[in-house]
Amino acid sequence: MHKDSKRREALLYHAKPTPGKIQVVPTKKYATQRDLSLAYSPGVAEPCLEIAKDVNNVYKYTSKGNLVAVISNGTAVLGLGDIGPEASKPVMEGKALLFKIFADIDVFDIEVDTKDVDAFIETVKNIAPTFGGINLEDIKAPESFEIERRLVEELNIPVMHDDQHGTAIISAAALLNAVELAEKKMEEIKMVISGAGSAAIACANLYVSFGVKQENILMFNSKGALQKNDPKISENQKKYATDKPISLQEAMVGTDVFVGLSTGDIVTPEMLLGMAKNPIVFAMANPNPEIKYDLAIKTRRDIIMATGRSDHPNQVNNVLGFPYIFRGALDVRATKINEEMKKAAVVALAELAKESVPEQVNIAYGETKLNFGKEYIIPKPFDPRLIAKVPPAVAKAAMESGVALHPISDWEKYEEELLERLGSDNKMVRLLTNRAKTDPKRVVFAEADHLDVLKAAQIAYEEGIAIPILLGNKEVILELKEELGFDADIAIFDPKTKEEDKRRLKYADIYWKSRQRRGISLLDAQKWMRERNYFAAMMVNEGDADAMVSGYSRSYPSTVKPLMQLIGKAPGITLIATANMMMTNRGPMFLSDTAINPNPTSDELAKIALMTAKTARMFGMEPVIAMVSFSNFGSSSHESANKVREAVAYLHKYYPDLIVDGEIQTDFALNAEMLKAKFPFSKLAGKKVNTLIFPNLEAANITYKLLKELYKVDSIGPIMLGMEKAVHIFQLGASVEEMVNMVAVSVVDAQEKEKRKKMSAK
């Protein structure tokens, strides 16, 4: 991507439509004067008085218990160094965003304008009553050690410097599993650590707590091996220093483990070859590891390797740790995050990697089946089990070590509450794009001479989601590409030009021969192939592309028509329908049919339900389907309710394993307590509904658009169901983000269709 374009995109992301990445949102009603008088004066006096009587009531009446401060002075920001507090704010906001989306923790980011240790500590102590926990971030060593140590001692809320402990916790989990796979023992392994900053010291200290011998660890900084007689190194560093000079290459001979927290490409193949049998290499420098993954794997087949990158197995990603550690600490009102809690997180992560991986995770990473082994020693960041595994382990450790002020007694209920928090985030979008990236497909953009469509193609290309093929006026597309800084060499076709005569006539002839006995003349076929949607559909039909997307500038019916004529239905399918995946605060919801069938029969409703269920499974979700109506289980004999009831009866008879029921009103379908109390006999009782099948197009279309506009619910769709090829349609005037999501859907759909084709050919 053009450097200036990338820079502009990053700046626009942070600046528009509202500057920054986080905001404060009220959690209580505020519509009436009564609400306001309770929120502020005079009603607010009552909780104030209760807190004055007992300071612990602050957790009962305020947001303190779910509020973390991300605090920095900007002295060690990412790879940017000492850039100051104001310049560090975008990073701190980003950390706040991660806390929220992974663990539903609210954050205020605090940037402190001082490099003085005492002044920094005093500032944090003075504002600590506001927060349930403190996450220190991007503070340079050695000051960071002193700041964290003193704040842990002097405050009665959890404090953790994630730069120190985050990487240590995740890599320690990986180390436990790697050592087991290598058939070695923690107390016997020899280790070299490249890097001597706060993260390196924290890693070494944590490894020692798990059995690695201090004398078996040798640490290097940019000047070489740490020397015990060097007056410039700290006491923390001296523990891992040597009393004689030694090069990195010499130190690597016979060593079992290399841990890289330094800079890229400093480890050579020769160094790897000198390591012991089944070497363990954690090359965690970003963006370039200490040795490239492919080179390392090629050099040593027996290597067990992790990096900090998402495009290789075993990513050491701090997001596996800090959100869940703070979640567990906050939920038992821990007074600190101690070593026992950190070690509990390590063990929980290591054990999770050994458990059977949910299909949703396999799908997201394009794996047939992830299994514990050399290429899977730590969980994936998108694993939905993390929130139910790590926080309880941390909470139990806090209780057992005596730092929990609010112990948990009902662990089953606690895990249910944790899983409910997952619904507040759009993980499905990340899962979707991640899966598309595992095997990007050729996608035709039929309206590429529209700026927003081309922008979507650019993002899809640069993010590795798809390989775009651009259709439209070539001159216009090239001008727009220049404007966007989209300088990649992408195929461009204009069906109306002489340049495409040969291909257009070929497509026309193929289409005419397939439809010549259905009233289509060769002249008609040739005329239609000048239209982009016909041309694009034929590209997919003939294998010149894997998928197509269109509809940004044209009505849905006019875009669907050529697809129906040229592509047709998948084998065994008699009905085409559509579904929208809505990213609600309770998690992803599938709504069908949102765009094609005006008034489906009971038989058609059953088919729509089955196709939607299949689509949900494609995204790794087990469908729980409510066939909705204005009626509840026979409360009305209206024909609309009757057809829904008949569809359900058919599904119950012929698909007894499918979790589906109705007819049922939407509020009962979505309110588990109401449903269980009123209709305990329902197959939906005790289940969380994630799919709604509507009795007609009117209801489905109105509902999804109402959710989208009124509540700003993100929508992916309409997703075409039942088509033989991966062809999908944008909503008229869709946003760039919506189009990118639909491109990811088309790629995943193409992957699935290719997989089924290969299976049927066997």
Side-chain angles (χ1 to χ4, degrees):
M1 183 177 184
H2 194 279
K3 187 177 179 181
D4 288 342
S5 176
K6 192 73 174 176
R7 178 177 178 274
R8 183 169 66 249
E9 184 179 14
L11 293 176
L12 281 172
Y13 173 83
H14 288 265
K16 303 289 184 180
T18 303
K21 300 186 287 295
I22 56 175
Q23 65 178 351
V24 177
V25 179
T27 59
K28 296 291 189 293
K29 294 178 181 179
Y30 52 88
T32 67
Q33 181 59 41
R34 179 176 177 275
D35 294 334
L36 296 178
S37 67
L38 288 170
Y40 197 54
S41 183
V44 75
E46 299 306 326
C48 291
L49 292 171
E50 292 300 306
I51 296 168
K53 290 177 191 174
D54 180 357
V55 72
N56 287 318
N57 281 331
V58 70
Y59 289 95
K60 184 176 182 179
Y61 296 112
T62 77
S63 63
K64 178 182 172 83
N66 196 51
L67 187 61
V68 165
V70 172
I71 303 182
S72 180
N73 60 1
T75 53
V77 178
L78 293 173
L80 304 176
D82 185 355
I83 58 175
E86 290 88 353
S88 76
K89 188 172 176 66
V91 180
M92 303 312 123
E93 286 187 348
K95 194 64 175 278
L97 185 147
L98 295 177
F99 264 109
K100 187 63 179 178
I101 66 173
F102 282 98
D104 195 27
I105 293 172
D106 296 320
V107 168
F108 288 160
D109 63 291
I110 309 281
E111 291 74 38
V112 181
D113 189 11
T114 182
K115 296 180 182 179
D116 182 85
V117 169
D118 291 329
F120 188 96
I121 290 170
E122 196 63 26
T123 300
V124 176
K125 286 173 64 178
N126 286 336
I127 64 173
T130 304
F131 302 100
I134 304 288
N135 181 93
L136 300 170
E137 193 82 13
D138 292 349
I139 304 167
K140 75 180 183 72
E143 291 90 335
S144 57
F145 292 108
E146 177 70 6
I147 287 170
E148 186 194 35
R149 183 188 65 79
R150 283 180 52 186
L151 287 173
V152 168
E153 289 176 359
E154 298 173 30
L155 290 177
N156 66 345
I157 57 174
V159 176
M160 188 172 83
H161 186 203
D162 185 49
D163 300 320
Q164 288 183 48
H165 303 293
T167 301
I169 289 164
I170 313 310
S171 63
L175 183 65
L176 287 178
N177 285 338
V179 167
E180 179 183 326
L181 287 167
E183 298 181 342
K184 301 184 180 188
K185 296 180 179 179
M186 293 289 278
E187 60 270 19
E188 295 176 359
I189 60 173
K190 293 182 179 180
M191 179 182 292
V192 169
I193 299 179
S194 177
S198 58
I201 298 296
C203 284
N205 290 345
L206 192 56
Y207 302 160
V208 168
S209 75
F210 277 101
V212 179
K213 290 184 178 178
Q214 184 176 303
E215 58 268 28
N216 285 347
I217 300 175
L218 186 58
M219 190 171 285
F220 285 73
N221 62 15
S222 59
K223 296 176 183 177
L226 298 183
Q227 301 296 306
K228 289 181 179 178
N229 60 0
D230 185 351
K232 294 182 180 178
I233 68 172
S234 68
E235 290 301 314
N236 287 311
Q237 292 171 320
K238 282 182 181 177
K239 293 187 293 185
Y240 307 109
T242 182
D243 51 14
K244 59 180 181 180
I246 184 172
S247 70
L248 181 61
Q249 183 159 348
E250 291 170 334
M252 291 280 275
V253 175
T255 197
D256 299 285
V257 181
F258 171 82
V259 176
L261 293 154
S262 51
T263 189
D265 302 317
I266 61 168
V267 174
T268 65
E270 290 73 25
M271 292 180 187
L272 282 193
L273 291 170
M275 293 181 73
K277 182 182 177 183
N278 297 327
I280 298 165
V281 174
F282 294 170
M284 298 181 286
N286 257 325
N288 298 315
E290 283 78 3
I291 182 169
K292 290 180 175 62
Y293 179 84
D294 293 339
L295 177 60
I297 297 299
K298 181 181 177 182
T299 303
R300 292 287 299 256
R301 289 190 176 183
D302 59 343
I303 196 171
I304 301 173
M305 188 169 182
T307 70
R309 294 177 60 114
S310 61
D311 53 351
H312 300 309
N314 303 321
Q315 183 192 14
V316 178
N317 188 331
N318 281 19
V319 82
L320 289 169
F322 70 85
Y324 309 112
I325 293 166
F326 271 96
R327 180 75 272 157
L330 292 173
D331 290 339
V332 291
R333 221 177 288 170
T335 56
K336 61 180 63 181
I337 294 173
N338 57 27
E339 290 306 304
E340 292 87 346
M341 294 160 73
K342 294 171 195 169
K343 291 181 72 173
V346 171
V347 173
L349 287 167
E351 289 178 348
L352 185 58
K354 297 178 182 180
E355 296 181 11
S356 297
V357 177
E359 186 61 16
Q360 186 180 29
V361 179
N362 286 318
I363 286 173
Y365 289 92
E367 300 283 350
T368 304
K369 192 166 183 63
L370 283 167
N371 283 311
F372 178 60
K374 288 168 59 175
E375 295 190 348
Y376 181 64
I377 57 175
I378 42 177
K380 297 289 189 180
F382 293 152
D383 194 323
R385 300 171 299 169
L386 285 162
I387 197 167
K389 295 290 184 180
V390 181
V394 172
K396 286 175 184 175
M399 290 164 57
E400 291 167 3
S401 60
V403 298
L405 299 180
H406 186 68
I408 292 169
S409 56
D410 189 339
W411 291 99
E412 189 174 327
K413 182 181 177 183
Y414 177 51
E415 288 189 19
E416 287 177 5
E417 291 171 353
L418 289 170
L419 289 170
E420 281 296 312
R421 292 183 180 277
L422 282 177
S424 63
D425 135 59
N426 287 353
K427 284 187 175 65
M428 183 57 72
V429 175
R430 298 197 298 279
L431 289 166
L432 174 65
T433 55
N434 203 66
R435 183 184 174 187
K437 290 178 185 180
T438 63
D439 185 18
K441 299 296 183 184
R442 299 165 299 166
V443 179
V444 184
F445 289 75
E447 303 158 295
D449 48 10
H450 289 267
L451 181 64
D452 282 355
V453 176
L454 187 60
K455 180 65 177 174
Q458 179 183 18
I459 293 171
Y461 174 78
E462 289 168 353
E463 293 298 316
I465 295 168
I467 303 161
I469 298 170
L470 309 178
L471 259 61
N473 185 302
K474 190 170 185 177
E475 189 176 326
V476 172
I477 291 173
L478 290 173
E479 287 177 4
L480 292 176
K481 281 188 71 186
E482 180 70 24
E483 183 181 334
L484 291 171
F486 187 12
D487 51 13
D489 185 16
I490 302 294
I492 302 173
F493 298 94
D494 185 349
K496 294 183 178 180
T497 61
K498 285 189 175 182
E499 193 177 341
E500 299 305 327
D501 276 355
K502 186 177 179 181
R503 185 186 298 263
R504 186 176 62 246
L505 292 172
K506 172 191 167 187
Y507 288 164
D509 190 55
I510 293 169
Y511 178 54
W512 172 63
K513 286 176 179 175
S514 70
R515 300 293 292 262
Q516 59 189 354
R517 293 181 180 272
R518 294 189 181 181
I520 303 297
S521 69
L522 178 58
L523 191 62
D524 286 334
Q526 290 173 346
K527 182 181 71 174
W528 285 339
M529 286 307 142
R530 296 176 66 85
E531 298 297 324
R532 299 177 199 182
N533 287 327
Y534 283 90
F535 190 90
M538 283 302 294
M539 289 190 80
V540 177
N541 252 350
E542 294 307 303
D544 295 329
D546 303 302
M548 72 164 278
V549 287
S550 187
Y552 171 80
S553 64
R554 299 188 181 191
S555 68
Y556 201 90
S558 66
T559 309
V560 167
K561 184 180 177 182
L563 305 186
M564 296 292 214
Q565 290 177 342
L566 274 71
I567 302 290
K569 306 176 186 72
I573 297 296
T574 59
L575 179 78
I576 300 296
T578 56
N580 274 67
M581 184 161 58
M582 311 299 292
M583 302 305 171
T584 73
N585 61 7
R586 58 181 277 133
M589 293 282 300
F590 287 90
L591 278 58
S592 297
D593 171 17
T594 53
I596 291 184
N597 298 285
N599 190 24
T601 64
S602 61
D603 180 56
E604 289 170 337
L605 278 177
K607 291 175 180 176
I608 290 168
L610 291 170
M611 288 192 295
T612 308
K614 188 176 182 180
T615 301
R617 291 192 184 101
M618 186 173 81
F619 293 109
M621 291 176 61
E622 187 55 36
V624 180
I625 306 171
M627 307 283 281
V628 295
S629 172
F630 63 87
S631 171
N632 278 320
F633 300 108
S635 64
S636 171
S637 58
H638 190 278
E639 61 178 333
S640 177
N642 287 342
K643 73 173 182 180
V644 177
R645 197 177 311 127
E646 290 167 9
V648 170
Y650 173 86
L651 292 169
H652 282 179
K653 182 177 180 179
Y654 294 103
Y655 299 88
D657 294 334
L658 186 66
I659 305 171
V660 58
D661 217 340
E663 81 285 17
I664 187 171
Q665 293 174 1
T666 310
D667 53 350
F668 280 100
L670 299 179
N671 189 317
E673 290 183 10
M674 281 173 55
L675 175 61
K676 195 171 183 178
K678 188 74 173 175
F679 307 112
F681 57 83
S682 172
K683 291 182 75 169
L684 302 177
K687 305 285 195 307
K688 185 177 179 180
V689 169
N690 56 27
T691 304
L692 301 177
I693 307 299
F694 291 84
N696 55 50
L697 174 61
E698 190 173 32
N701 191 273
I702 289 171
T703 301
Y704 102 75
K705 291 188 174 179
L706 190 68
L707 286 171
K708 183 172 176 286
E709 295 304 322
L710 203 55
Y711 298 105
K712 303 303 176 187
V713 173
D714 288 339
S715 170
I716 298 179
I719 301 168
M720 297 286 286
L721 310 178
M723 297 293 287
E724 186 177 6
K725 305 286 184 179
V727 291
H728 292 280
I729 301 175
F730 299 139
Q731 298 172 57
L732 186 64
S735 69
V736 172
E737 182 181 9
E738 288 170 335
M739 286 189 278
V740 172
N741 289 340
M742 281 304 296
V743 172
V745 167
S746 72
V747 170
V748 170
D749 191 15
Q751 291 171 352
E752 284 291 303
K753 285 176 167 58
E754 181 181 63
K755 192 186 301 181
R756 284 198 292 272
K757 187 176 180 181
K758 287 179 180 178
M759 288 177 66
S760 63
K762 288 181 180 179

